[in-house]
Amino acid sequence: MARKQRPTSLPPPFLKRVWLPEQQDKSGPEWDVYPLSMPILHAGGFDLSFDKAVTIIVGENGSGKSTLLEAIATLAGFSERGGAQGMRAVEESFASGADAASLGQLLRAAWLPQVKQGWFFRAETFFSVARYLDDSGSPRADYLSASHGEGFLHFFEERFSGQGIFILDEPESALSPHKQFEFLRVLRQMQRAENCQVIMATHSPILMALPDADLWQIERYGIVPTTLEETPHFKIYSEFMRYPHETVEAMID
């Protein structure tokens, strides 16, 4: 039986850096196939440092942010399909994230210290993981008895406590704007506990506005720091709020 890791007194972030070694041979045919073909892996080398307890990654659909999170999750000891470290609750499928494992095997990580607790949340596999917890008799399960959004929020409140690293891919997918603010409260509590690291991908400007978090934008050839107001998400929502009818007509005409 594996020995349970003792809590560390060091503050987050625990995962300090993720990078692709520069000496990596990129001449093989596999580098022409996704996800190894992603431009962010080829332009100047991939190297991402984590300086705060919460890091938020944003990008357009197809930019590779979910694949990147899945790769980091496998590097941290999670299944690319979601769940706790070491958990295999979801069968491989088109939505399982299996393509990211090949990237995760090539990445390198620097930890201080390496933590063995946490969760990889994927919206696509949430119900399979929740059903697995129900079937296994988990005393903290029963997330499927509530509505979609209520189940998500109940899950976050129950599972995102204690020391660990939490990797979240679009947690807002089932949350109304009001519930997103409740989820922000959960994230704020995690920050104040000073024993959690969160790496999150989102399309929600509400979640991007979390105070004291690092915000990174995936662009075609790299990942750059940004601000809420500079993100395309914020700009289009701002335009819509000022001129809702005109913006819709312009976008769909």
Side-chain angles (χ1 to χ4, degrees):
M1 181 179 294
R3 181 178 299 175
K4 186 176 181 180
Q5 182 182 24
R6 293 181 178 179
T8 177
S9 60
L10 295 173
F14 310 118
L15 179 58
K16 301 291 187 181
R17 178 184 170 219
V18 173
W19 74 97
L20 185 67
E22 292 184 5
Q23 66 272 24
Q24 192 70 237
D25 181 10
K26 299 180 181 179
S27 59
E30 68 274 13
W31 288 93
D32 295 327
V33 180
Y34 192 88
L36 301 185
S37 62
M38 292 194 302
I40 60 173
L41 301 179
H42 296 264
F46 174 79
D47 198 324
L48 183 59
S49 295
F50 302 98
D51 299 314
K52 294 188 177 181
V54 178
T55 301
I56 302 171
I57 300 175
V58 303
E60 188 52 77
N61 288 339
S63 64
K65 64 184 185 305
S66 291
T67 299
L68 178 59
L69 245 66
E70 291 159 9
I72 294 174
T74 61
L75 184 64
F78 298 97
S79 167
E80 66 273 11
R81 303 158 200 174
Q85 287 176 323
M87 178 184 289
R88 296 294 184 269
V90 182
E91 295 296 327
E92 185 172 342
S93 70
F94 70 92
S96 69
D99 58 346
S102 59
L103 174 58
Q105 292 169 0
L106 298 177
L107 295 177
R108 297 295 179 265
W111 298 82
L112 188 64
Q114 183 172 3
V115 296
K116 299 294 186 180
Q117 297 87 31
W119 200 276
F120 175 33
F121 176 86
R122 301 187 71 224
E124 299 97 325
T125 60
F126 169 76
F127 288 104
S128 295
V129 173
R131 190 170 296 110
Y132 170 86
L133 294 172
D134 282 346
D135 293 343
S136 65
S138 171
R140 294 192 296 167
D142 196 29
Y143 304 116
L144 302 181
S145 63
S147 69
H148 198 171
E150 289 287 350
F152 269 46
L153 194 59
H154 178 47
F155 174 85
F156 298 144
E157 292 170 338
E158 286 284 336
R159 293 280 165 171
F160 293 2
S161 61
Q163 192 169 84
I165 180 168
F166 299 87
I167 301 175
L168 317 177
D169 188 18
E170 299 182 13
E172 76 280 5
S173 59
L175 302 178
S176 69
H178 179 74
K179 293 299 182 183
Q180 289 180 42
F181 280 105
E182 291 192 31
F183 180 58
L184 273 184
R185 190 177 299 114
V186 173
L187 292 175
R188 193 59 163 164
Q189 291 170 350
M190 296 172 77
Q191 285 177 314
R192 289 171 174 166
E194 297 184 342
N195 65 356
C196 303
Q197 180 176 4
V198 176
I199 304 172
M200 175 174 68
T202 183
H203 288 297
S204 168
I206 294 175
L207 301 191
M208 294 177 202
L210 178 70
D212 305 317
D214 274 340
L215 187 61
W216 293 82
Q217 170 80 38
I218 293 187
E219 298 183 348
R220 179 165 176 78
Y221 294 108
I223 303 178
V224 297
T226 188
T227 65
L228 172 66
E229 292 78 10
E230 291 174 326
T231 63
H233 308 70
F234 180 87
K235 291 177 180 179
I236 195 168
Y237 273 104
S238 295
E239 190 74 11
F240 174 75
M241 294 304 293
R242 286 196 300 267
Y243 312 105
H245 304 293
E246 294 85 349
T247 302
V248 169
E249 287 290 345
M251 296 297 288
I252 68 175
D253 189 4

